[in-house]
Amino acid sequence: MSNIKQRPSGPGLDHDSIEDVDLIEGSLDAIGQRYAVIITEWNEAIISGLLQGALSTLIDCGAAADNIDVIRVPGAFELAPVSYTHLTLPTIYSV
């Protein structure tokens, strides 16, 4: 008796072929758009590096510094509602 397990098979489970997979690609073009970067005040040592990375990436992709808002919230609990609120604003395109 073998201890080798076989992969499940059936519709949609053909792991050897990627021809039927839809590929969605984006561009790294942030020109002319407005962004909100929402961060927590909690764990500043980690958050500050993540913020710098996010801001650098946006600037490198063409975002203007005056089109980026940084919003600080007290903790992780507030991230979702504040993100939702800003996504519904007509002036913010990405959070």
Side-chain angles (χ1 to χ4, degrees):
M1 185 167 165
S2 172
N3 288 336
I4 299 173
K5 295 182 179 180
Q6 291 184 337
R7 290 181 178 170
S9 61
L13 296 175
D14 182 10
H15 299 284
D16 296 325
S17 173
I18 61 168
E19 294 172 5
D20 294 329
V21 175
D22 291 331
L23 177 62
I24 300 171
E25 293 181 292
S27 67
L28 297 177
D29 181 6
I31 297 171
Q33 302 221 18
R34 201 151 166 76
Y35 298 89
V37 179
I38 304 172
I39 60 173
T40 68
E41 293 174 351
W42 188 77
N43 207 343
E44 181 66 27
I46 293 174
I47 298 302
S48 62
L50 293 172
L51 174 60
Q52 289 305 314
L55 295 175
S56 294
T57 300
L58 285 169
I59 298 296
D60 289 348
C61 292
D66 59 347
N67 282 343
I68 303 170
D69 296 331
V70 176
I71 302 156
R72 290 185 186 269
V73 297
F77 181 77
E78 293 82 8
L79 286 173
V82 172
S83 296
Y84 177 79
T85 299
H86 282 79
L87 281 171
T88 60
L89 296 174
T91 57
I92 301 290
Y93 296 100
S94 298
V95 173

